[in-house]
Amino acid sequence: MRHFKLIALAAFVVAGTAFAQENMIENAGFEDGVMEPWSVYGAAAANIVKNDAHSGDYALKIDIPAPGANFWDSGLQYKPAGVIFEDGIDYTWAFFAKSDPPVEINIKPELAVDPWTAHGEKRAFLTEEYQEFWTEWTVPAPVNPASLTLHIQFDQASLWFDDARWYEGAYEPFGGEPQSVDPNGKAAATWASLKAQ
């Protein structure tokens, strides 16, 4: 029985490694205490704060002074030189955010020049507790230059943003517990349940 457990644990480790994704975002958690290469535009004012982080010591705080004529009048963007969405690749952008008071945002991976074509665009509603939000998309032709953009001028609010991830593949929870997979591709058991057997 012990031999079976060791084989199951080894299979789990291999499966967990196979699902690990490389984060293509630089400064994903702001742990150097700086904002770059992230930027804001419009009326938004941003600074790095050393409290209220989702994880680690730092988070990005953004203050919106008033609702805009359009919700896209202010935004947060990740668009350092060289950001491209390659055709035929499944992408996920995920991040943790909260706000005070609760407020809506618009998540928009996009072409970073006019006509600002959207890919995987979706709305999200922030609350006063951190939640993970994500979107997935695939483009039929390369998007260059590209940007990961949040439209944030729905209303007056303070937003906190942390632990951003952009990677190839389907969404996987942040710090989520990897799972072993049966031959049909279904989750069979978690690490904790395997250890307990």
Side-chain angles (χ1 to χ4, degrees), residues 36-87:
E36 293 76 18
W38 298 89
S39 62
V40 293
Y41 68 88
N47 59 85
I48 304 300
V49 293
K50 198 175 179 179
N51 53 12
D52 274 340
H54 170 256
S55 70
D57 295 323
Y58 295 94
L60 177 65
K61 182 184 179 188
I62 307 170
D63 292 307
I64 308 299
N70 306 291
F71 64 80
W72 58 83
D73 287 345
S74 290
L76 170 66
Q77 293 186 308
Y78 182 81
K79 57 173 189 177
V83 173
I84 301 170
F85 303 153
E86 299 286 358
D87 56 304

Side-chain angles (χ1 to χ4, degrees), residues 32 44 54 67 94 112 115 133 164 182:
D32 290 333
H54 170 256
F133 302 92
D182 71 12

